[in-house]
Amino acid sequence: MATEADVIVVGGGVIGLTTAVTLAERGLRVRVWSRDPAGATTSAVAGALWWPYRIEPAERVGAWSLETLAVYEELAAAPEETGVRLVPGLHGGERFAALGPWAAELKGAAEVAEGLRVVLPLLDMPVHLAWLERRLVAAGGAVERRAVSGFAEAAERSPVVVNCTGLAARELVPDPGMRAVRGQLVLVENPGIEEWFTEADPASEATTYFFPQPGRLVLGGTARAEDERPEPDAAVAREIVARCARVRPEIADARVLGHRVGLRPVREGGVRIEAGALPGGGLLVHNYGHGGAGVTVAWGCARAAAALVG
């Protein structure tokens, strides 16, 4: 078999690119096969605040998240280049007692009457994804626009295939435990807000949040299971703006710049990182099912998957 690479990573979102960078910087010849440009992936839509929210398995997520946090704290030294900034904000209604052991590692976090105040990484995802691609190329890797119908196709060109296909794993593995959880965002002109804010409503699918990104304020959000409509819903958009304006009234008059919809790749049983065999004796490593927290665990999961590649 003539091999084109030591490893082919299928999927070019934040999980695929971070995994590819990790492998390439260990000296392996890595190619990423991605159906969509990075800017058109689900990752590009993400509000992208680091926080282990709605992700399983709980016993592993804390370590993956803290490993990733340490990387982002370093990348925040060059925010224009990496898209990573450290930004203060408030998790409304949050308490340390309700969080996992990982929360004890948060530097400078403080409980206040309104919730938990903390400085966290906030990522401008289009910038960050472009930076990951450049870092991959600098390490000798490459990204190809390529849709696949199965992993055997990649196995013909590489002895190792890493599955970072997110929601597409539902058909490609196939994994019937995968489901889409729809998120909708509204982008508005920032009326001068410098801190992020989040507040979950346990009784509904809605989360109220706003994230100050360069050139815009990102408002959210929703978490609707079994809803795979790609187009924004105007009524939902109005509700998002109204909820955010209850926290910061100036948001009500902010000019709308655009709308975004993303389908979170949620998996029954949580993130899957494990190795199996490919037809013909190759190695297939899975790294998918990160729900809405792919950004939060990206580097920890990449290293766990890379350890299975060997």
Side-chain angles (χ1 to χ4, degrees):
M1 178 179 70
T3 61
E4 295 176 9
D6 298 319
V7 184
I8 289 176
V9 176
V10 185
V14 69
I15 296 297
L17 288 174
T18 306
T19 303
V21 166
T22 301
L23 291 165
E25 291 181 350
R26 294 183 181 187
L28 294 169
R29 294 178 303 147
V30 181
R31 299 188 92 76
V32 173
W33 285 5
S34 180
R35 182 188 61 196
D36 304 309
T41 61
T42 299
S43 298
V45 179
L49 179 74
W50 179 95
W51 193 254
Y53 175 66
R54 293 173 75 152
I55 179 169
E56 302 287 339
E59 65 275 8
R60 299 190 71 186
V61 164
W64 290 334
S65 300
L66 291 173
E67 226 177 314
T68 305
L69 176 62
V71 175
Y72 291 152
E73 286 172 342
E74 291 178 13
L75 297 182
E80 293 81 9
E81 188 185 342
T82 66
V84 184
R85 293 171 300 132
L86 294 176
V87 181
L90 175 75
H91 278 302
E94 194 64 87
R95 290 287 176 257
F96 275 121
L99 302 173
W102 57 267
E105 303 297 321
L106 296 177
K107 300 170 195 144
E111 270 190 22
V112 294
E114 300 82 14
L116 193 65
R117 285 201 62 81
V118 60
V119 176
L120 293 175
L122 181 60
L123 280 68
D124 183 346
M125 286 309 291
V127 173
H128 186 64
L129 292 167
W131 175 81
L132 282 169
E133 281 203 3
R134 291 196 304 273
R135 182 165 165 177
L136 174 62
V137 170
V143 179
E144 294 177 23
R145 301 286 161 252
R146 185 167 185 155
V148 301
S149 54
F151 300 118
E153 201 177 320
E156 288 172 7
R157 293 171 171 80
S158 172
V160 180
V161 178
V162 184
N163 166 27
C164 299
T165 56
L167 191 59
R170 181 170 55 185
E171 289 78 37
L172 285 170
V173 173
D175 186 339
M178 290 297 298
R179 64 192 177 98
V181 175
R182 184 179 184 275
Q184 182 168 327
L185 308 173
V186 182
L187 312 183
V188 301
E189 275 186 354
N190 191 340
I193 291 169
E194 295 180 350
E195 297 196 349
W196 55 265
F197 173 86
T198 77
E199 188 163 40
D201 178 359
S204 80
E205 298 168 325
T207 304
T208 300
Y209 59 79
F210 45 83
F211 300 144
Q213 295 282 14
R216 63 200 186 278
L217 186 67
V218 178
L219 312 180
T222 62
R224 297 192 172 184
E226 318 308 334
D227 179 353
E228 299 192 23
R229 292 173 298 147
E231 63 286 335
D233 181 312
V236 170
R238 287 192 295 272
E239 290 164 11
I240 288 171
V241 173
R243 287 202 310 272
C244 291
R246 284 198 282 274
V247 183
R248 292 293 294 262
E250 62 267 47
I251 290 173
D253 300 317
R255 186 167 73 92
V256 174
L257 301 175
H259 302 269
R260 299 285 184 273
V261 172
L263 302 178
R264 302 176 182 93
V266 174
R267 181 175 180 269
E268 193 179 310
V271 178
R272 183 184 186 192
I273 298 181
E274 62 183 60
L278 281 165
L283 179 69
L284 175 63
V285 174
H286 295 290
N287 182 9
Y288 70 92
H290 303 82
V295 166
T296 300
V297 297
W299 288 92
C301 288
R303 291 167 182 174
L308 296 179
V309 172

